[in-house]
Amino acid sequence: MTATVSLPVADGGVETVTLSGAPRVESVGRWTRTAYAAAHVVSDPLANNDPWLDTSLDWDRTLAFREHLWSLGLGVAEAMDTAQRGMGLDWNTSLELIGRSTEIARRGGHLIASGAGTDHLIPDSTTTVDDVIAAYEMQCEAVESAGSRVILMASRALAKVADGPDDYDRVYSRVIGGLSQPAILHWLGEMFDPALAGYWGSHDHMTAMQTCLDVVSSNSSKVDGIKISLLSAEKEIAMRRRLPEGVKMYTGDDFNYPELIAGDDCGYSDALLGIFDPIAAAASRALSHLGSKDLAAYHETFAPTVPLSRHIFKAPTRFYKTGVVFLAYLDGHQDHFTMVGGQESARSTCHLADIVRLANDARLFADPERTAARVRAAMAVRGVEQ
């Protein structure tokens, strides 16, 4: 078997690409950053259901991937938007996933934090801020009862019913105050979820940032950190420099993560990233280089992953999960490319072909021959002769 594949090009033709292998992660070195990968889920390809309506996970492959992330030294951010939370993955399945993952993490002494939100609450004209508080508190209690730290996810319901910044302050202060251990807050931008436009009571990100900072400052003893996903290094750095002492900035910037994690004279960001799912091995190597103060090797390792990440997360950004799961399939972490909600169809054939090219440039494929066989199968079913 050869590791060559035929991929479509922009002019309508086809080119032959030879795949190369990834370097091995020999060992995980000492890290100076906390790093979570927001992990994807895989649908059961043989479930007898309506895939756009029903959620049936492939539990073996979904949980095995978390073991893969932990083996590389990464923490797992569970049941987040990378896992299609609120975009096909319902609350009941999310809670089962959190419970199963947390039990494995507990047995292995692994790092885990899990999303709590309000996605079981479908807001209508009668929904109130108190309803949002109750929904948050129910999920937070369930997550903490499972044994996981809470990641307090942004709420579509709150974005819909809040009258302004005071409502955000009221909700977050109440919910954070009731937690048993400090939470990670998550400000997910509208580029990831259009329903979250105007979060924190303003469509201007800098005005919204002040409200968020006020909430964090008022509750700093109950806040481990905040993950912001605005795809703007400048906004993240501006906020990072204003956080209370002891509160971490977890970068959620899948475009600018190498420089944000490396930091500057005024500080650095830790990481809670969706892109760390498909580039986990490279991220582990890079963070080990950073821990040993080899900045040249750190940047050299991360640099070829950035064009891939920018492509996976290109607009419409909310469809990035398709590229993440496609890469996991190509690299052998599951033997099928079947997603919750049928979202394997959310990106074009040319988009997927460019993912193959860019991942190959970043040397992410552990077994090029296996990957080539899977690329051929994926391209053939989409009409690209091999």
Side-chain angles (χ1 to χ4, degrees), residues 113-116 140 143-144 148-152 179 181-185:
S114 305
C140 286
V143 170
E144 290 201 318
S148 176
R149 180 190 295 276
V150 164
I151 302 172
L152 203 61
L179 296 175
Q181 58 178 322
I184 299 170
L185 309 190

Side-chain angles (χ1 to χ4, degrees), residues 118 121 126-137 155 157-164 166-172 174-175:
T118 66
L121 174 65
T126 68
T127 304
T128 67
V129 171
D130 286 335
D131 294 328
V132 175
I133 290 173
Y136 262 137
E137 289 180 331
S155 166
L158 181 55
K160 184 172 183 177
V161 306
D163 285 334
D166 288 348
D167 282 337
Y168 285 89
D169 185 21
R170 177 185 165 205
V171 170
Y172 275 84
R174 166 71 176 270
V175 174

